[in-house]
Amino acid sequence: MLTFDKGLENFENLLNDISVKNTDKNEAETRFKIIDRIFKECLGWELADISVEENYDGTYTDYIFSTSNKKALIVEAKREGVYFEIPIENNRNKRSIKGLLAENDNLKDALVQVTNYCKERGIEFAVVCNGHQLVAFIGSRNDGVPPVEGEAFIFESLEDIKQHYKLFWNILSKNAIEDRTLFKKLTNKEEILNLSKLSQLIDNYPRTKIRNDIQSELDNLSGVIFEDINLENKAKATFLKECYCTSGALSQYSLLSKQILENKYTNMFDECKEIPNPKPATTKKGIAQDLIDNLYKRPILLLGDVGVGKTSFIENLIYVEAPNIFQNAFTLYLDFGSSGTLTANLKNFIAGEILEQFRTKYELDFEERNFVRSVYDSDIKRFSNGINADLKETNPQLYKEKEISMLETRLNDSFEHLKHSLLHIQSSWKKQLIIFLDNTDQRDEIVQQEVFMIANDIAKNWNAIVFLPMRPETYNRSNQLGHLSGYNTKAFTIAPPRTEQVIEKRINYAIKIASGEELSKKLGAYIQLNKLTDFLNVFLNSFTQSNELKDFIVNISGGNIRWALDYVRNFFGSGHIDTKKILDIYDETGEYHIPLHEFLKTVMYKNNEFYNSEEFPIANIFDVTSENPREHFLTILIIYYLRTTTKNKTEGGYLNSNYLISLLQDEGFTPKLIETHIKRALKRKLIESSNKRIPEFMNETPIQLRETSIGIYHIINLVQNFTYMDGISYDTAIFDSTKFENMKNYGLFNLNIMERLKRTILFKEYLDQVWNNSNFKTSYAWLTYSENLKVAMIRIRNKQMRIQEEIID
């Protein structure tokens, strides 16, 4: 890597070469060689970083410089004879561009030309150079300042560059461009945001939505009915039998897990005889006996994304598939959920949790005197025959103290003591040990791998069966990197059940409880269960009959069953639906069909009166981070390009992020802005990376990306939906002051449907205007979706007018 000192030395050599150069040599060739040498030999750019384009009959040559495979700088090299008349200002390299352009047509034409290039290609920085004079500035800006109204660094001659070489190096060397030092020095700040949003006009935005008595009551009732975490064992088994959704693969895994447990229990107490053949599994494919024999000697990995049902698989195994086995075993469940706090030493954390569960669940204290002495009975006997044996008669007190000290040494290694204690009680009580290390997949990759190593040690040396959930990407990457390559692991892939099937089963079970068939003690204090039963029936009928409602929940949950159930749970008792109207209509007619917009609003607004862009899962895909109106469509284009691009895609449908960035640079966006939106889209689950990294902890943009069903639903379905566009119109920056002032006049506070329609039409027209002015190259059908939105709003308006006419009549 070129150093500053070496760059300066090379520049001085360049000046010497120029002074002795043959004057008969073509001056244009010399000039271009000067530019080449300056950037390669003096600023640290490599040949691989530079691409050269000749345009317009060879009148100029563009140099495009890239960092980390992203286009970052254009150097516009003017032909010989094109000189810039630069006003002399001693020792002042930073100048106003407007001042430079006054009566300087050559420089003005060059700056405008390279600025258009930067805008078209999404390249942030620009240099205009005629071989001896150089102007460096920001060619594509997102802070609301037109490039020609900003400032630039001017070097009037090669001698001027030498005199201010440190500044020259600090703004144009390869590392400086990658760090965006030129931007920081020319603006003295990061991106300025001066956004006009309707939300800024509303006090305490987004405000808390107040529920009425009926809504509050339904919210409380549904909360109890949908809550299954703290159910007693018998109720838990009933719940799982009614609600657990399985498949052929999951049934196979349950059967195999059950056989492992049975096999282990049969053979764990007789080390001398060979393992007998248990009753063979009655499945179509069958289960290999050698697999069963070996599995219980290592952790059983349950692979699946967060929320797909790994915990449910575990619970179903405990309470439904093999309850007798677990009743005759020491069964420990350790929750590594992200809400908990882990100690720095994971071994100590696991040991502490196990000790606490034995104290509370089995009333066994592994530090109690008699228990400790029974665990280390053989150690005590060896001690009594050792070098301290004579003290039993000569100094009994000292002997006892030394014996206690020996036992204390054993206890001090808590993890080793735990192992000996567990082996002891398994042998004494004739019970096997089964440990579930659940929700480890909610922790980062380092924790997951460390827990795996501990789990492997437990399974191998504690005579225990260990179930360990893990994310598929962590498992695959660990195998590739060698972390798990030394272990003969077996993994079950837990695919998510069908979302609609889970919801239907859960609602049917809730109806049984609310109607009294399986009445819980927790509901004894409530007397309005009939309202909840009616509301549950309304939802179930609507859900089973409406593909639109079903598609929304399935797609917006992205395969995460927990999320899908949360959306359904929050619908009951929401302050955004007219609960009394729904119940009255159902009472009179026996039916009510929940339209999508009613359900969408409960998911979108949650407990707020207005839409909050921070709430998950509904994202404002038109939100911006700069004062560039074109940015309204950047998140949409990211998702769309990931969905439609076929070139450079992996087998799993992932697209290289550098290739994606190059496509979006061709749409006129800078790499920094693109990466900001990529990380935000990852955080909102609109797209996903191959390693499923958490965006808050990402220093770099992930290498492989693909769209999610959540993202696709946003850019195709929600952009045509009035409820969505109405909600986000409050929290989207409007760069057209006239449109903004007009939008303020419609339904900002009273939320009247006709006023909201007028405001949303203005919002749609504003986005249409931005789209038309942006000249995007993409085939994304925004104008078609916009027209569909308009048609939908006209239909809503006509319906409201008919309703008003009927009221008047």
Side-chain angles (χ1 to χ4, degrees), residues 297-526:
K297 298 176 182 178
R298 46 196 162 92
I300 300 171
L301 303 183
L302 305 178
L303 302 185
D305 288 327
V306 175
V308 300
K310 297 187 294 298
T311 299
S312 296
F313 174 84
I314 292 171
E315 291 178 340
N316 188 65
L317 185 62
I318 294 174
Y319 294 103
V320 178
E321 297 290 342
N324 294 333
I325 293 175
F326 286 97
Q327 288 170 9
N328 197 33
F330 292 115
T331 304
L332 306 176
Y333 179 88
L334 278 67
D335 189 354
F336 285 78
S338 57
S339 59
T341 301
L342 298 182
T343 62
N345 189 316
L346 273 176
K347 277 192 172 184
N348 289 342
F349 171 80
I350 292 173
E353 288 291 304
I354 292 176
L355 287 171
E356 181 60 25
Q357 289 196 30
F358 266 98
R359 276 193 291 265
T360 57
K361 186 175 180 179
Y362 297 107
E363 297 182 350
L364 279 173
D365 185 352
F366 289 180
E367 296 179 356
E368 189 268 331
R369 176 188 180 278
N370 291 335
F371 180 85
V372 172
R373 295 187 69 84
S374 63
V375 169
Y376 297 107
D377 180 66
S378 60
D379 294 60
I380 292 173
K381 289 178 180 177
R382 283 196 301 272
F383 182 83
S384 68
N385 295 319
I387 60 174
N388 293 299
D390 294 338
L391 292 175
K392 281 192 289 186
E393 295 182 2
T394 60
N395 194 339
Q397 181 62 31
L398 181 58
Y399 176 82
K400 182 59 66 177
E401 290 175 1
K402 286 183 174 289
E403 184 185 67
I404 293 172
S405 178
M406 180 271 294
L407 293 174
E408 284 179 339
T409 301
R410 302 290 190 274
L411 287 173
N412 286 338
D413 189 341
S414 59
F415 205 71
E416 194 67 15
H417 170 63
L418 181 61
K419 180 184 81 170
H420 290 298
S421 299
L422 293 174
L423 290 172
H424 172 74
I425 62 171
Q426 289 181 79
S427 176
S428 303
W429 290 37
K430 297 296 185 288
K431 284 190 174 185
Q432 62 178 321
L433 176 63
I434 306 169
I435 301 177
F436 295 95
L437 304 177
D438 200 10
N439 290 320
T440 55
D441 56 337
Q442 294 183 20
R443 296 291 177 175
D444 62 42
E445 190 172 317
I446 295 175
V447 171
Q448 290 185 62
Q449 289 178 356
E450 188 175 351
V451 173
F452 170 81
M453 302 295 284
I454 296 172
N456 189 77
D457 184 43
I458 291 174
K460 182 179 179 181
N461 300 315
W462 292 20
N463 205 23
I465 294 180
V466 183
F467 288 85
L468 177 64
M470 183 176 281
R471 296 179 195 170
E473 62 274 6
T474 303
Y475 174 76
N476 293 331
R477 192 159 49 254
S478 295
N479 270 327
Q480 293 170 4
L481 296 175
H483 297 145
L484 304 185
S485 59
Y487 302 91
N488 186 20
T489 57
K490 176 63 182 175
F492 298 163
T493 299
I494 308 298
R498 290 176 55 195
T499 305
E500 57 268 39
Q501 184 183 14
V502 174
I503 291 174
E504 287 181 28
K505 281 195 169 188
R506 182 65 68 92
I507 296 296
N508 274 311
Y509 183 65
I511 290 172
K512 284 186 177 182
I513 295 177
S515 62
E517 292 180 39
E518 306 225 2
L519 192 61
S520 167
K521 293 180 181 178
K522 293 183 179 181
L523 297 177
Y526 298 98

Side-chain angles (χ1 to χ4, degrees), residues 206-209 576 605-612 615:
R207 294 184 183 176
T208 300
K209 182 70 174 178
H576 285 283
Y605 288 65
K606 292 194 174 178
N607 296 321
N608 300 317
E609 186 174 348
F610 298 94
Y611 169 72
N612 180 7
E615 293 283 7

Side-chain angles (χ1 to χ4, degrees), residues 656-704:
N656 183 278
S657 60
N658 284 331
Y659 183 65
L660 172 66
I661 289 171
S662 71
L663 294 174
L664 293 164
Q665 279 196 266
D666 288 341
E667 295 284 14
F669 297 106
T670 62
K672 182 178 183 295
L673 195 60
I674 297 167
E675 290 178 336
T676 297
H677 275 254
I678 286 175
K679 291 179 181 179
R680 190 171 66 176
L682 284 165
K683 185 176 181 181
R684 301 309 300 267
K685 311 296 183 184
L686 303 174
I687 63 176
E688 63 184 5
S689 64
S690 58
N691 59 16
K692 306 292 175 69
R693 291 279 297 279
I694 301 172
E696 289 87 343
F697 301 104
M698 291 188 306
N699 294 320
E700 298 179 356
T701 302
I703 296 175
Q704 301 291 343

Side-chain angles (χ1 to χ4, degrees), residues 163-335:
Q163 185 180 350
H164 300 94
Y165 192 79
K166 183 176 181 181
L167 171 64
F168 187 68
W169 172 272
N170 284 341
I171 63 173
L172 292 178
S173 66
K174 181 178 178 180
N175 288 340
I177 291 295
E178 194 160 23
D179 292 339
R180 302 178 69 243
T181 308
L182 183 58
F183 178 89
K184 297 169 187 175
K185 285 185 174 293
L186 287 176
T187 61
N188 294 318
K189 56 199 168 202
E190 281 298 326
E191 260 59 63
I192 310 166
L193 283 181
N194 183 24
L195 307 180
S196 297
K197 294 184 176 183
L198 296 176
S199 58
Q200 296 168 345
L201 305 176
I202 300 174
D203 292 336
N204 301 317
Y205 187 90
R207 294 184 183 176
T208 300
K209 182 70 174 178
I210 306 300
R211 293 189 179 99
N212 60 36
D213 292 342
I214 295 178
Q215 292 166 341
S216 297
E217 184 177 30
L218 285 181
D219 181 63
N220 291 331
L221 287 170
S222 61
V224 175
I225 283 183
F226 276 90
E227 178 64 59
D228 63 273
I229 297 175
N230 296 317
L231 291 175
E232 299 296 331
N233 288 359
K234 183 178 179 181
K236 175 77 80 171
T238 302
F239 165 79
L240 289 166
K241 287 176 182 177
E242 293 280 351
C243 299
Y244 184 69
C245 296
T246 186
S247 64
L250 291 180
S251 299
Q252 180 92 341
Y253 295 156
S254 293
L255 180 60
L256 177 55
S257 301
K258 183 177 179 181
Q259 283 193 250
I260 294 168
L261 297 169
E262 290 175 341
N263 219 54
K264 177 71 180 294
Y265 183 72
T266 302
N267 303 288
M268 68 180 293
F269 305 114
D270 192 346
E271 299 177 3
C272 296
K273 72 176 187 179
E274 295 184 1
I275 299 175
N277 293 325
K279 186 178 180 180
T282 55
T283 62
K284 291 181 180 179
K285 295 182 179 180
I287 300 174
Q289 181 58 42
D290 59 343
L291 174 63
I292 298 172
D293 295 341
N294 290 319
L295 268 179
Y296 62 74
K297 298 176 182 178
R298 46 196 162 92
I300 300 171
L301 303 183
L302 305 178
L303 302 185
D305 288 327
V306 175
V308 300
K310 297 187 294 298
T311 299
S312 296
F313 174 84
I314 292 171
E315 291 178 340
N316 188 65
L317 185 62
I318 294 174
Y319 294 103
V320 178
E321 297 290 342
N324 294 333
I325 293 175
F326 286 97
Q327 288 170 9
N328 197 33
F330 292 115
T331 304
L332 306 176
Y333 179 88
L334 278 67
D335 189 354

Side-chain angles (χ1 to χ4, degrees), residues 692-742:
K692 306 292 175 69
R693 291 279 297 279
I694 301 172
E696 289 87 343
F697 301 104
M698 291 188 306
N699 294 320
E700 298 179 356
T701 302
I703 296 175
Q704 301 291 343
L705 300 168
R706 71 181 177 190
E707 76 283 5
T708 66
S709 67
I710 301 174
I712 295 171
Y713 195 88
H714 273 75
I715 70 169
I716 294 179
N717 298 80
L718 289 183
V719 294
Q720 305 181 64
N721 185 287
F722 164 66
T723 300
Y724 173 74
M725 297 298 285
D726 169 39
I728 66 170
S729 67
Y730 283 96
D731 207 35
T732 302
I734 308 297
F735 295 103
D736 184 324
S737 58
T738 302
K739 277 283 193 300
F740 181 75
E741 290 300 318
N742 290 336

